[in-house]
Amino acid sequence: MGADELVPETDAPDDAKSAPEDRETEGPLDESEANPVRPYVDLGGVKILPREGLHLRLEVEEESQRVVAVGLDYANSTLQVQPFAAPRSSGLWHEIRGQIAEQVERQGGRISERDGVFGPELIAEIPVAAPQGKPGETRVARFVGVDGPRWFLRGVIAGDAAIKPEAAALVEDLFRSIVVVRGSVPMPPRDLIPLRMPAAPTAGADNSYTSL
């Protein structure tokens, strides 16, 4: 899936917020809810809590050199996260799931929905190009989303955490630990909250610019 801003639709069928009941205490957290003394890596729109075995990648749009997503490699899995501006009183995830499903189906993939730890999530089986003469393969990815106060955080989970419960629990905990920094600057809903490189090199962070 491309790491870019979400394409708006004029007719929103369901604008209710979608988030775990304990989001305000267990995460993903708003900056106002996070412990200010924890050693977060500040990436602008999100803050990441370092942990052993975690590697950070910033995904950069080639033409503009804009950071468009944060990639986290952990537990033989990848977690791509993007924070978006959202209305104060309504959410984005219910509508966006339909758009993701359409994109996956256009790529020849299959999609299903289930209730996960964050609420509704999508399981996608996406075809992967194979060398000529070899059978095609599919990549399984989980799309998760949480509506917070004036923001929406999307995650794409691949690797072991998409299919193995133990790895899934570790990556879900990682997603929970993310802090979203919405800021006070007015932004249209669905605009990507600006991301940036950390101010100083961080131990355990690998700032390579590859895309999922």
Side-chain angles (χ1 to χ4, degrees):
M1 302 298 297
D4 208 341
E5 295 180 9
L6 303 172
V7 178
E9 284 189 358
T10 55
D11 184 19
D14 190 347
D15 63 356
K17 285 183 179 288
S18 175
E21 291 185 1
D22 58 358
R23 186 209 60 75
E24 293 182 15
T25 56
E26 301 301 318
L29 298 174
D30 183 73
E31 184 184 26
S32 65
E33 301 158 344
N35 185 336
V37 302
R38 300 192 82 179
Y40 289 104
V41 178
D42 186 354
L43 301 172
V46 295
K47 293 182 178 180
I48 306 295
L49 190 64
R51 59 184 69 195
E52 186 176 356
L54 174 63
H55 293 276
L56 166 69
R57 292 176 293 107
L58 300 179
E59 303 184 16
V60 177
E61 188 175 61
E62 189 172 343
E63 289 185 5
S64 66
Q65 291 300 297
R66 179 182 64 148
V67 179
V68 293
V70 176
L72 302 169
D73 298 331
Y74 186 62
N76 291 319
S77 309
T78 60
L79 169 63
Q80 181 206 62
V81 295
Q82 291 178 289
F84 296 92
R88 186 181 300 277
S89 59
S90 58
L92 299 177
W93 183 224
H94 291 305
E95 180 185 358
I96 287 169
R97 289 201 311 279
Q99 297 173 5
I100 293 172
E102 290 177 4
Q103 291 174 5
V104 170
E105 289 168 354
R106 282 200 300 267
Q107 293 179 7
R110 295 188 299 174
I111 198 96
S112 60
E113 183 170 318
R114 71 179 185 188
D115 287 328
V117 295
F118 304 108
E121 66 176 65
L122 297 175
I123 309 297
E125 296 179 46
I126 303 168
V128 178
Q132 190 171 6
K134 292 191 175 182
E137 297 181 354
T138 58
R139 179 173 72 99
V140 178
R142 295 170 56 194
F143 291 83
V144 297
V146 170
D147 290 304
R150 298 173 61 238
W151 52 258
F152 165 70
L153 184 66
R154 189 184 81 165
V156 185
I157 300 170
D160 284 359
I163 54 177
K164 297 182 179 180
E166 289 185 5
L170 292 172
V171 174
E172 288 161 4
D173 182 68
L174 175 62
F175 190 68
R176 284 268 201 181
S177 73
I178 294 171
V179 174
V180 179
V181 183
R182 167 61 179 82
S184 58
V185 177
M187 293 179 64
R190 298 171 172 268
D191 269 16
L192 184 68
I193 299 172
L195 298 164
R196 64 168 184 262
M197 298 180 189
T202 303
D206 176 15
N207 295 326
S208 58
Y209 308 125
T210 57
S211 179
L212 291 181

